[in-house]
Amino acid sequence: MKRLLLLSNLRPERMQKLKVAANFGQNPGFDFLQECWEDDPALQIVIKKVLVKFPQWGIACVDGVLVDWDE
């Protein structure tokens, strides 16, 4: 229960950072995306859309896992 509360408190902040990324093309970083991906399945949809919009970041979703092509 505490984990769900923590995640729900983090979601607005994370969503805002993802919106900035989507609107301005500012890569929030693989670590941030990975953390959101693993912690909050609701954000996975948003992350997928952002990654499709900015393939130049070298990050993709492959078989349900985020992959950093640059590493």
Side-chain angles (χ1 to χ4, degrees), residues 29-39 47 65-67:
F30 182 77
D31 291 338
F32 172 77
L33 293 173
Q34 182 73 31
E35 181 180 300
C36 292
W37 185 271
E38 291 177 356
D39 287 349
I47 293 169
V65 177
L66 286 185
V67 177

Side-chain angles (χ1 to χ4, degrees), residues 33-71:
L33 293 173
Q34 182 73 31
E35 181 180 300
C36 292
W37 185 271
E38 291 177 356
D39 287 349
D40 194 340
L43 294 179
Q44 290 179 3
I45 296 166
V46 177
I47 293 169
K48 286 179 185 178
K49 290 179 181 180
V50 172
L51 295 179
V52 167
K53 191 173 179 180
F54 297 102
Q56 66 269 28
W57 292 351
I59 303 170
C61 174
V62 179
D63 294 330
V65 177
L66 286 185
V67 177
D68 187 349
W69 295 111
D70 294 334
E71 290 189 7

Side-chain angles (χ1 to χ4, degrees), residues 10-25:
L10 288 174
R11 186 177 290 158
E13 181 181 323
R14 288 174 166 177
M15 184 62 91
Q16 181 62 32
K17 192 168 182 175
L18 290 170
K19 284 182 183 178
V20 169
N23 291 332
F24 299 104

